[in-house]
Amino acid sequence: MRQEDESNMDKPFGGKVVVLGGDFKQILSVIPKEGRQDIVSAVVNSSDLWKHCENPLLDLVDFTFPNLVHNMKIDKFLEEQCILCPTLESVENVNDFILEFLPGDTDEDTEYESKWFTIEFLNDITCSGIPNHKITLKVGAPIMLLRNIDQATDLCNGTRLIVSDLGTNVTRVTVLTRTNNGDDIFIPRKDMVPSDLGYLFKFERRQFSISPCFAMTINKSQAQSLSHIGLYLFRPVFTHGQFYVALSSVRLRNELKLLVMGAEGKVRNKTETMVYKKMSSNIWDL
């Protein structure tokens, strides 16, 4: 007698876990002799199966910013929510991921000038104290100031704002901090020189001193008033007490959700404490 299959045939793929890979937003299926509508219909997120799919990062976004597109129009919705990440690279990845969900066109700034170096080389430089060459923005998205504008009114490095209007040389924003909550200000594009001393040359970049801020680094979150936090850990992070800083940023356990990724890109339910054993070998001798 044949043993019955334990799979749940009422679920897609019999209830088995199936991993879908590839960037289908940019690399579309090839449908010979068919038009745009047929190609779009062949993409996986056009399928009835899409409602059964899960994206770990999407779950973290939904927890931190529930019903984002609708609720972002509500006053103060974005004031105390943020995703914390250990590195600037992961911050940029999360911000780019969330911006895709917002309606409207993006504003991508591409100012440059080069004499001795190639344009690509200068544009790829990312360093402390200066915004990236390319900033992707949309109206309604939260952003962060990267430099002090007016310390007397709390418009300082780390202040969170919301984009109200996009211009070529001036961006209008609304302040999110408690001190000046709701105030409209204008941020000009200006020339900036990086403070990073690791380069053997000097260069100047003309850009807005802002960056998207659905996510920010754990270090930047210190002294921020947050009540809903998503913590995105793509690798163990215990340098300078970052993990403990992130956990102490909320008051209650249900205000925090963690997404811990393993080396193979799989979701994990734990993270390791990274310590130097030599430094702690004689700690109990005190």
Side-chain angles (χ1 to χ4, degrees), residues 155 159-162 173-177 180-185:
L155 296 177
T159 299
R160 298 178 74 211
L161 317 154
I162 292 181
V173 300
T174 304
V175 182
L176 276 181
T177 58
N180 303 297
N181 193 291
D183 289 356
D184 282 343
I185 63 170

Side-chain angles (χ1 to χ4, degrees), residues 4 10 37 99 102 109 205 218 234 236 268 272:
E4 289 191 19
D10 294 331
Q37 185 59 46
L99 277 171
L102 269 61
D109 297 301
R205 177 172 290 165
I218 296 172
F234 64 95
R268 304 184 62 191
E272 290 80 19

Side-chain angles (χ1 to χ4, degrees), residues 142-187:
I143 59 175
M144 176 182 288
L145 277 178
L146 298 180
R147 292 202 169 189
N148 296 335
I149 293 181
D150 186 353
Q151 291 180 290
T153 57
D154 272 350
L155 296 177
C156 308
N157 183 1
T159 299
R160 298 178 74 211
L161 317 154
I162 292 181
V163 177
S164 302
D165 191 26
L166 293 167
T168 303
N169 296 307
V170 176
T171 296
R172 182 163 64 93
V173 300
T174 304
V175 182
L176 276 181
T177 58
R178 296 181 184 274
T179 306
N180 303 297
N181 193 291
D183 289 356
D184 282 343
I185 63 170
F186 294 90
I187 299 177

Side-chain angles (χ1 to χ4, degrees), residues 81-87 91 95 144 158 160 212-222 224 226:
Q81 281 107 298
C82 195
I83 292 176
L84 305 185
C85 307
T87 66
V91 166
N95 282 324
M144 176 182 288
R160 298 178 74 211
C213 192
F214 282 108
M216 61 179 164
T217 61
I218 296 172
N219 291 339
K220 280 281 188 183
S221 72
Q222 297 187 69
Q224 296 278 350
L226 301 170

